Amino acid sequence: MSAGAGVFETTTGRSRWVWLAVDAIALVGFGALLGLVWLPTFGAGWLWVTVLGGTLLGWTIGVLAHRRGLGVGRTAAVTALVWFALGGMLAMPSTTTAGVFPTGRTLHGLASAPVTAWKSVLQFDPPIGETGNLLCIPLALAIAQGLLACAVSLRSRRPQLAWLPPAAALGFAAWLGTGVGLHPVGVAIGFAVLALVWTTLRLGTLRGLLVRQGGRHSLLSPLMALLVLGLAGAGTWWLAPALEPDRQPATLRDAVSQPLDLRHEPSPLQAFRANLADDRRDTTLFTIAGDLPAGAIIRLATLDEWDGLAYQVTNSGDGGAQTGQFRRVGASVEAPDQGAPVDLTITVDQLAGIWLPTVGNTTSVGFLGSRSLDLRESLFHNRATGTALTTAALQPGDAYRFTGRVVARPSDEKIQAAAPGTAALPAPRQVPDTVGDVARVMRGTATGGDAALKIEKALREGYFSHGLPDQTPSAPGHSAARIQTLLQRNQLDPPSMIGDDEQYAVAMALLALDSGVPSRVVYGYRSPGTSGGAVTGAQVGAWTECQLADLGWVAFDPTPPRDRTLDKIPPDNPPAPNKRVDAPPPRAEPPQAPPLDNTLPAEDAKAPRKGIQVPWATLGRWTLTLGIPVVFVLAPLVAVLLAKRRRRRRRLGADLAANRVAGAWAEVVDTARDLGARPSPAATRSEQAEQLVLDHPELARDTDPIGLAKAVDHGVFRPEPVSAEEAGEVWHGAGGLISTWRQQLPAWRWLRSRFSTRSLRRYR
């Protein structure tokens, strides 16, 4: 075995095929384990095609690179070329044409994946599914483990260490994952069994090569191996529960902050009255196709933080797990397996903004239409509040398929017996003084669910008005001053609270919070019916959600019925103002002369002409994105053409005319070799020509390779020197021979031969 060669080179015949088959089977097993580690992060589905296909692809590249004797640089170039050619089919099938051929979006995703995809994986809420270019991370790991393991097995003197790349891939996948493994003990045992069996087979091969004999195979050895593996697996399974940590292991996902910032987004509840304007009241905002449970709420946003001016949607997560955090989601969303399932198709008409209509607990959102990829890649969801949004913003014509589960409201008896929940919400700020007094009156001595029911009932005894021209005047908004006015009217005799969903829902949330019940506000629309239909601005609504022990978040509707109106508003009887005391007038100051104006009148200047603004950043980004794949694809092809041109010029420019004549036949042989022929390097030129005619008669149909070979032999071996004119005639004949072949062959076959590297490699 030569220096630097692997143990695999010492095997021959059937042993080599057995060696490669064992490697392939072991790597498929490691690929399956890698898929199990990624499964909680990406979910089932295309992930298995990505991981198993990538592992076999890496193994195939490693085998071919070894057979062709490719170094590290050329192997990396081949891997990059395969990445751009097949990566879209394995990791981004939705962006390809016919599921195979890459598009511009595919190449952009594959080029940017090594830089950006790993961070996006950490920011998405699992299961991610086939979203954007995120499956490129499992694909890259699978290709790397297959390629590196194959390199260690075929090129190393220690092939028994080929399990190290799969071990590194599994560790990296766990570090980027969720920290919640799927059957981690089983994965660990499976990895140990595969690694031990693979190592044992390689060590056995090494011992056989060392003594140069196959040895006798005894049945005792495999039985002992199975016994040891069985005892080790059983011991690991028995000890695993005692060795499990008390808390979830830390992953890189825990250290990555989420990029969504909602601090500059206005409260969606502030747009409540805008739905009732003349141009939106009867306008279709969106349409729902599908069956809805009776009384279902179409949620647009859940608001959980009060700052005295408005109820806001939070994303900080500072209040604990119950506050929730918006995370990017993929094909599906984890949700409790409770409630009636709903399957809807929602089509956007005049609804604008980032907030996405949902129903109940979301389980999946699949966008349709031309903007589906943009909307899906910008989708965020707050699992704790049920709110979904897309930073790409909704536009008329957008549509998506929504699935979820709607939990029915518990009975009043269950609510009344429930204790308050334990959700930690942001403390409300600038709460009106009236809230505490009114809360004590409304709830009495009740607590928990009983207090929430009494507050809801007391608020429903108020009066309803949107403040429209044909209704009783009612101020919009839900600031501290507006809630103060609403609750103060409850203290009049008779009470005359007046408002709509916006004021009553916020008032109940503040009253329930004062009573110790975690509460928040839901803004959305009322269901158009159990069979779906169009949703207009007139169906806008707001509700209060209170968290109760063992019941979760329960929706309350504290708004009075629409027909409970008040024709005349009684006076507030404000306190008498203090007696007015006029201040003495200020002392008159003597007038001052205006300053002299020595300035000349200025003429209106023309606005400066704006030059052409070139988006250099965008232009550079697209140039790099498209240029990198082009370079990887075209650079090897151009290099092959340049190498062949340089070889031809060297043969034509040989100092001796005899060498130029010999170079003409070498050019013919190399062309035949690129076309698939295999002329023997040990044969004479005439023998090579006869073999060429025998193996490929179509190439000699209208040409005479044998005659050309004899002419070359005559010019090389004759005693008198060859003239430059004779060498030119031989080259002319060789050129005519090659030109005739080009005309006889299909264009695709000739083009493939031009980029073939067979003639550039050392012939074995």
Side-chain angles (χ1 to χ4, degrees), residues 283-604:
T283 301
T284 300
L285 302 180
F286 55 93
T287 304
I288 297 180
D291 296 331
L292 282 169
I297 296 174
I298 304 173
R299 184 190 309 265
L300 207 62
T302 303
L303 309 102
D304 48 16
E305 183 179 20
W306 165 267
D307 61 5
L309 297 177
Y311 241 113
Q312 303 287 349
V313 179
T314 60
N315 187 36
S316 62
D318 295 338
Q322 297 293 345
T323 303
Q325 195 174 56
F326 283 91
R327 300 184 66 93
R328 301 180 70 178
V329 293
S332 59
V333 180
E334 288 187 353
D337 191 15
Q338 300 174 355
V342 292
D343 190 343
L344 311 171
T345 299
I346 302 177
T347 305
V348 177
D349 194 340
Q350 297 301 315
L351 182 68
I354 64 173
W355 309 103
L356 201 70
T358 61
V359 179
N361 296 320
T362 305
T363 56
S364 70
V365 177
F367 289 98
L368 311 172
S370 58
R371 300 182 68 230
S372 59
L373 291 177
D374 294 333
L375 292 171
R376 181 173 60 183
E377 292 177 4
S378 61
L379 178 63
F380 288 81
H381 181 264
N382 190 323
R383 191 184 304 174
T385 64
T387 305
L389 63 88
T390 171
T391 55
L394 297 176
Q395 296 179 5
D398 291 338
Y400 56 96
R401 183 181 178 183
F402 172 88
T403 61
R405 290 185 172 274
V406 178
V407 180
R409 171 177 163 136
S411 63
D412 288 350
E413 291 76 13
K414 291 184 178 180
I415 295 176
Q416 188 174 10
T422 58
L425 300 176
R429 305 190 299 272
Q430 300 182 14
V431 180
D433 298 335
T434 315
V435 170
D437 300 333
V438 173
R440 284 189 292 272
V441 174
M442 287 185 175
R443 72 171 186 266
T445 58
T447 59
D450 191 14
L453 287 173
K454 289 185 176 181
I455 294 173
E456 178 190 40
K457 180 180 179 181
L459 290 176
R460 290 181 64 87
E461 293 176 357
Y463 298 93
F464 180 85
S465 175
H466 283 311
L468 300 177
D470 57 343
Q471 296 178 348
T472 307
S474 173
H478 56 279
S479 63
R482 181 64 180 91
I483 302 302
Q484 176 86 356
T485 302
L486 178 77
L487 297 180
Q488 276 183 341
R489 289 191 171 277
N490 177 71
Q491 298 174 321
L492 299 179
D493 191 14
S496 59
M497 290 184 297
I498 186 167
D500 55 16
D501 308 56
E502 181 182 6
Q503 291 83 44
Y504 283 106
V506 173
M508 179 173 179
L510 295 177
L511 293 170
L513 285 170
D514 188 83
S515 303
V517 181
S519 303
R520 60 194 188 190
V521 176
V522 175
Y523 166 62
Y525 296 89
R526 289 178 172 80
S527 171
T530 55
S531 58
V535 177
T536 64
Q539 294 169 240
V540 67
W543 298 264
T544 305
E545 280 188 339
C546 298
Q547 194 200 41
L548 302 173
D550 301 327
L551 298 181
W553 291 98
V554 179
F556 292 84
D557 188 5
T559 306
R562 297 296 189 269
D563 56 357
R564 183 174 170 80
T565 60
L566 183 65
D567 297 332
K568 183 178 180 181
I569 301 178
D572 289 345
N573 297 326
N578 295 331
K579 184 178 180 181
R580 178 178 178 182
V581 178
D582 294 334
R587 186 176 62 179
E589 297 290 342
Q592 297 181 358
L596 296 176
D597 188 4
N598 296 326
T599 59
L600 295 176
E603 297 181 358
D604 294 337

Side-chain angles (χ1 to χ4, degrees), residues 736-751:
L737 183 67
I738 295 173
S739 178
T740 304
W741 288 352
R742 181 177 59 200
Q743 296 173 3
Q744 292 177 349
L745 296 174
W748 64 268
R749 185 177 175 187
W750 180 260
L751 182 63

Side-chain angles (χ1 to χ4, degrees), residues 147-234:
L147 178 59
L148 296 178
C150 184
V152 174
S153 176
L154 301 184
R155 302 194 179 199
S156 170
R157 291 177 176 271
R158 299 182 182 275
Q160 67 272 22
L161 299 180
W163 56 270
L164 287 176
L170 289 175
F172 193 74
W175 193 41
L176 284 180
T178 61
V180 180
L182 184 67
H183 309 301
V185 177
V187 171
I189 294 176
F191 177 82
V193 170
L194 276 175
L196 288 174
V197 171
W198 202 10
T199 302
T200 302
L201 290 175
R202 287 292 166 260
L203 290 176
T205 304
L206 289 176
R207 285 193 298 268
L209 293 174
L210 193 62
V211 298
R212 296 296 179 183
Q213 62 182 9
R216 294 178 300 175
H217 297 281
S218 172
L219 185 61
L220 183 61
S221 296
L223 290 178
M224 291 295 295
L226 289 176
L227 178 61
V228 172
L229 290 175
L231 292 176

Side-chain angles (χ1 to χ4, degrees), residues 230-278:
L231 292 176
T236 304
W237 194 277
W238 181 63
L239 293 175
L243 299 177
E244 287 183 354
D246 297 333
R247 60 182 181 87
Q248 179 176 315
T251 63
L252 191 59
R253 179 182 300 270
D254 303 327
V256 175
S257 60
Q258 302 306 308
L260 186 62
D261 186 4
L262 297 177
R263 290 176 298 178
H264 303 295
E265 288 291 335
S267 170
L269 188 58
Q270 291 177 319
F272 186 92
R273 290 284 177 95
N275 290 273
L276 304 171
D278 294 337

